[in-house]
Amino acid sequence: YKLCLGVFPNGRDKGEGTHLAVHVHVMGGEFDDHLQWPLKQDITVILRNQLSNSHHLHLDCSFTELLPGLRVVELDSVATEGSGTNQFVLLSKLGHNQQKNTEYLRGNCLYFEVC
């Protein structure tokens, strides 16, 4: 399956201006004719803590609630379709937190893992 991670740094809808929004989208790919549709596998998005190998933030995305066979072909459609949340993490929590030893935003970069 061909997937796209949509990240909206300033949030969307209810999370606009306060949260980081994250969505996973299924896109058309060259092997679609050989894959089973709809996609039934859950996808996990992990926002990595850049200071240590702990306190990563996880988001589980499910495609079972979406329309059967949903595939996004054009990137313009990514903003409106997919699985995720508009309120993944507060923007204020992305910076350095000495007590928790976390820093998700470092050098203007966020690191995501999708599995």
Side-chain angles (χ1 to χ4, degrees):
Y1 298 95
K2 183 176 179 182
L3 302 175
C4 173
L5 179 65
V7 178
F8 302 86
N10 200 33
R12 291 181 56 223
D13 299 329
K14 292 181 182 178
E16 190 169 346
T18 59
H19 288 77
L20 178 75
V22 176
H23 297 268
V24 176
H25 309 275
V26 180
M27 300 181 69
E30 61 182 289
F31 302 108
D32 285 354
D33 292 341
H34 305 287
L35 299 172
Q36 290 185 328
W37 294 97
L39 171 62
K40 294 181 181 178
Q41 182 175 346
D42 291 336
I43 307 294
T44 300
V45 177
I46 302 168
L47 176 57
R48 307 285 302 190
N49 175 9
Q50 296 187 50
L51 290 183
S52 71
N53 197 20
S54 62
H55 300 291
H56 305 302
L57 301 177
H58 295 76
L59 172 66
D60 293 322
C61 297
S62 174
F63 291 94
T64 56
E65 299 171 4
L66 298 176
L67 297 174
L70 176 66
R71 292 176 234 179
V72 176
V73 178
E74 298 177 15
L75 286 179
D76 293 344
S77 303
V78 168
T80 59
E81 301 171 1
S83 177
T85 181
N86 292 327
Q87 297 177 324
F88 180 50
V89 61
L90 280 166
L91 295 176
S92 60
K93 300 213 182 251
L94 294 176
H96 183 72
N97 182 324
Q98 190 171 0
Q99 290 177 326
K100 291 187 176 184
N101 194 31
T102 60
E103 188 171 14
Y104 302 100
L105 178 63
R106 188 174 203 184
N108 287 329
C109 293
L110 296 170
Y111 291 109
F112 291 92
E113 181 177 340
V114 180
C115 46

